[in-house]
Amino acid sequence: MDDLRDKYINLIANAADEATLEDLRVQAVGKKGEISLQMRELGKMSAEERQVAGPKLNALKDEINSALAAKKQGLADAALDERLRAEWMDVTLPARHRRVGTIHPVSQVTEEVTAIFADMGFAVAEGPQVESDWFNFDALNIPGHHPARAEMDTFYTHRAPGDDRPPHVLRTHTSPVQIRTMQAQGAPLRVIAPGRVYRADYDQTHTPMFHQIEGLAIDKDISMANLKWVLEEFVKAFFEVDDVELRFRASHFPFTEPSAEVDIRCSWEGGTLKVGEGDDWLEILGSGMVHPKVLEAGNIDPNEWQGFAFGMGIDRIAMLKYGIPDLRAFFDSDLRWLRHYGFASLDVPTLHGGLSR
Ligand code: PHE
């Protein structure tokens, strides 16, 4: 019995897994196990022998059963320890960065421009992209025969046969929002109007859809000097330079008088644009004092009020600021391009937090 005990206690102690333990249990205390067989032998013994051997065998059976149970628990504990060791994880690590897309440079620049003008007291105004002929042209002092209509390569919508009202157009600029805002708000007012505009044109610097941002400020004594200051403040903030020289070139728009196109001083050293230095000039916008007829179309009395307006190409200034060479790629929806030129989705531009990344 002592040999039997030593044998099984040893085997149990060295068992490597639960399956081995189960085999040992069957071998020792199973129905046909060694100890069970020994117990059957009790019947053949004399009463005295049985009184000694019986309790010993029972005690041995109990000892082996508890050794099996203890070993089983030990194996389970070791397995759990191993799992805890293998599956260890530092829960204080930052969350995994998952890119869910990027902000398009046009959206980014629109936000930047809006933040800058908001700081100067300009609210955001909007108008429809499908616009009436009157808002897009007539109200802006561009009558039917005016060459500006032809120059703008306008997209026209259809009218039913027999309907001779002038067709609606895809707005060719954001200037109709000037009229809508004047009619809706009256004077004084100070707004910018970013949005999509359309012209039938397609090459490296022109796409049939592009973006403009209109500016309009109407008050009692607004002059070209205010226009110049506002644009200088804007350009310095937008291009993130301390000083910049603007050149106002006399120009002509039907809806402003006088009119000026505005260039900024820049250099193209080594193919990269630097704003504020060098001997080159780059045109960035059209502007002027709002024409009295335009104020009238907006139901504002030109004898009482005056103001300035400007219109700037958003895609154009985005290309300049972020060094993007081809305008057409803006609207290709090529994911590689978007990942390269896009902006992190939580980097909202603000004046205090920084405009660009
Ligand atoms: N609407 C003009 C354009 O698209 C720009 C402009 C706006 C000029 C306002 C003067 C004043 O070219």
Side-chain angles (χ1 to χ4, degrees):
M1 246 188 255
D2 284 343
D3 289 348
L4 212 55
R5 182 189 167 280
D6 290 348
K7 172 180 153 192
Y8 280 109
I9 293 299
N10 235 318
L11 285 171
I12 289 167
N14 293 322
D17 50 46
E18 274 197 50
T20 311
L21 270 189
E22 178 58 15
D23 285 347
L24 289 173
R25 189 190 65 76
V26 173
Q27 272 179 49
V29 294
K31 263 186 193 159
K32 289 176 183 167
E34 283 195 83
I35 290 163
S36 311
L37 290 179
Q38 293 275 342
M39 283 180 151
R40 260 179 240 167
E41 297 297 312
L42 289 175
K44 296 176 191 160
M45 293 178 189
S46 65
E48 295 81 46
E49 284 175 324
R50 207 183 302 135
Q51 263 183 0
V52 181
K56 266 194 159 183
L57 269 176
N58 270 325
L60 177 58
K61 191 181 173 185
D62 288 347
E63 191 180 350
I64 287 182
N65 270 329
S66 40
L68 283 166
K71 181 66 181 181
K72 195 172 172 179
Q73 186 61 50
L75 285 175
D77 287 349
L80 181 60
D81 282 346
E82 171 58 20
R83 226 182 118 196
L84 289 173
R85 199 192 56 76
E87 295 179 9
W88 178 88
M89 176 175 73
D90 183 352
V91 295
T92 66
L93 283 175
R96 190 180 302 169
H97 177 73
R98 237 227 242 144
R99 242 172 124 135
V100 290
T102 57
I103 302 295
H104 194 284
V106 169
S107 304
Q108 170 78 14
V109 164
T110 303
E111 291 295 327
E112 292 178 17
V113 174
T114 305
I116 296 167
F117 280 104
D119 197 53
M120 294 192 274
F122 285 74
V124 172
E126 283 181 315
Q129 295 175 40
V130 178
E131 189 55 282
S132 79
D133 183 77
W134 188 82
F135 275 109
N136 195 76
F137 294 121
D138 298 80
L140 290 160
N141 195 30
I142 313 172
H145 57 269
H146 199 282
R149 292 208 181 197
E151 276 163 31
M152 281 198 169
D153 304 305
T154 312
F155 287 112
Y156 290 91
T157 62
H158 280 292
R159 282 283 188 208
D163 185 343
D164 0 284
R165 288 173 302 165
H168 281 69
V169 301
L170 297 187
R171 67 178 179 195
T172 56
H173 50 181
T174 43
S175 299
V177 186
Q178 287 188 34
I179 309 296
R180 290 185 173 276
T181 310
M182 286 190 275
Q183 288 185 350
Q185 299 182 15
L189 66 83
R190 230 186 284 179
V191 292
I192 52 165
R196 298 183 158 194
V197 300
Y198 303 83
R199 290 179 204 178
D201 212 348
Y202 189 68
D203 61 34
Q204 195 178 343
T205 51
H206 297 90
T207 50
M209 184 282 297
F210 60 104
H211 300 81
Q212 285 190 336
I213 194 151
E214 194 81 6
L216 177 67
I218 306 286
D219 212 320
K220 297 265 173 183
D221 51 7
I222 286 191
S223 72
M224 288 289 272
N226 301 113
L227 171 66
K228 184 163 189 275
W229 183 85
V230 164
L231 291 178
E232 274 170 0
E233 284 301 299
F234 164 71
V235 168
K236 279 191 281 186
F238 181 74
F239 288 105
E240 298 173 61
V241 291
D242 290 334
D243 217 357
V244 71
E245 209 182 321
L246 290 186
R247 184 170 74 175
F248 282 64
R249 242 182 325 104
S251 181
H252 177 263
F253 299 102
F255 33 91
T256 46
E257 180 60 35
S259 302
E261 282 176 303
V262 177
D263 307 333
I264 46 174
R265 188 184 280 285
C266 67
S267 75
W268 286 101
E269 247 170 69
T272 52
L273 175 78
K274 276 214 187 90
V275 170
E277 54 182 69
D279 296 320
D280 281 324
W281 294 95
L282 196 105
E283 187 196 320
I284 55 162
L285 60 92
S287 65
M289 296 301 292
V290 180
H291 195 289
K293 284 191 176 171
V294 173
L295 291 170
E296 272 169 9
N299 301 331
I300 288 177
D301 182 357
N303 297 310
E304 227 187 307
W305 304 96
Q306 59 186 31
F308 66 73
F310 62 85
M312 192 160 48
I314 295 179
D315 323 79
R316 184 104 201 260
I317 60 171
M319 290 170 80
L320 293 173
K321 181 168 179 180
Y322 294 111
I324 308 173
D326 192 327
L327 177 63
R328 290 169 295 194
F330 271 65
F331 312 116
D332 282 346
S333 300
D334 184 326
L335 284 177
R336 293 162 301 177
W337 188 93
L338 290 167
R339 281 189 196 110
H340 183 79
Y341 288 112
F343 293 81
S345 45
L346 295 177
D347 275 355
V348 178
T350 59
L351 283 184
H352 56 274
L355 286 178
S356 50
R357 54 191 149 184

